Amino acid sequence: MANTAAYNGFQQYSGTGSAPTYEQVAVTIAYNASAIFYGDPVNPDSNGNVVKGVTSASSTNTQIAGIFVGCKYLSVAQKRVVWSNYWPGSDVASTDTVTGYIINDPNAKFVAQSDATGLTSAAVNNNVGFNIGTGNTANGISGSYINSGTVTPGTDNTLPFRVVALLTDPPGVNGTESGAYAKAIVAFNNVSTKQLTGV
């Protein structure tokens, strides 16, 4: 069965913590930052906050802070603290702080889908970038995915992820066929908590 595009960001596959929270850490999000969805890579900014990740390609890589998994904030509209799996990008006073939660454990692994170019077993043990995609405001899930065009053997150690394996289980499920829209298990390569490594 051919894979279809069904992007849902970088979903945790394993880590040193335990399900369901694994090793989430609290960070701050600027009150006027763009919307961030569950499973989006996030970047550190110059003020100590995190912001929605910038699509990574070999010429424009920036270190990521981790993978976003939720937030809490005092809602102006609802007059109460809201816990959410995504940051909508507004609805707080300028004097308030948005608390975000990210996974930045250097041992964490994630499952993500590739683009139409796809992945084969040749991508394993290579570093790779991502495209941020369009998040789903109905469920808060990320639309980020692996940028297959950034898989380059051996040279770019600034790419944020490393392909550990292609996802093959359970067989026949969307994303488990090698090629277009294949799903892969990736680990951090260029994250705030991990030293940069070449291939």
Side-chain angles (χ1 to χ4, degrees):
M1 180 174 85
N3 302 325
T4 58
Y7 305 133
N8 63 355
F10 291 78
Q11 303 295 318
Q12 184 142 27
Y13 179 78
S14 66
T16 53
S18 58
T21 57
Y22 288 100
E23 50 285 303
Q24 295 176 16
V25 296
V27 293
T28 56
I29 303 169
Y31 83 96
N32 60 348
S34 298
I36 309 172
F37 293 84
Y38 185 95
D40 273 346
V42 290
N43 292 127
D45 73 5
S46 59
N47 298 313
N49 302 313
V50 298
V51 295
K52 183 177 211 149
V54 177
T55 291
S56 62
S58 57
S59 61
T60 59
N61 295 333
T62 56
Q63 187 177 71
I64 62 173
I67 301 297
F68 185 82
V69 290
C71 64
K72 71 173 180 178
Y73 57 92
L74 179 59
S75 166
V76 170
Q78 300 182 51
K79 308 293 190 289
R80 65 180 179 86
V81 173
V82 172
W83 292 79
S84 176
N85 68 337
Y86 87 108
W87 162 239
S90 60
D91 194 25
V92 294
S94 61
T95 54
D96 287 343
T97 299
V98 179
T99 301
Y101 298 95
I102 65 170
I103 296 169
N104 63 4
D105 174 51
N107 297 312
K109 293 182 177 65
F110 303 88
V111 171
Q113 190 168 34
S114 65
D115 54 27
T117 302
L119 297 173
T120 67
S121 58
V124 174
N125 296 322
N126 285 288
N127 297 337
V128 69
F130 65 92
N131 284 338
I132 204 67
T134 302
N136 185 333
T137 57
N139 60 22
I141 301 298
S142 167
S144 299
Y145 55 94
I146 294 169
N147 183 346
S148 303
T150 61
V151 177
T152 52
T155 55
D156 196 343
N157 65 355
T158 66
L159 286 164
F161 297 101
R162 180 180 294 243
V163 178
V164 175
L166 296 185
L167 190 68
T168 58
D169 188 55
V173 172
N174 182 42
T176 59
E177 297 295 324
S178 178
Y181 308 117
K183 289 184 178 178
I185 301 167
V186 298
F188 286 131
N189 181 65
N190 185 5
V191 66
S192 298
T193 53
K194 186 172 185 178
Q195 182 180 4
L196 309 183
T197 57
V199 174

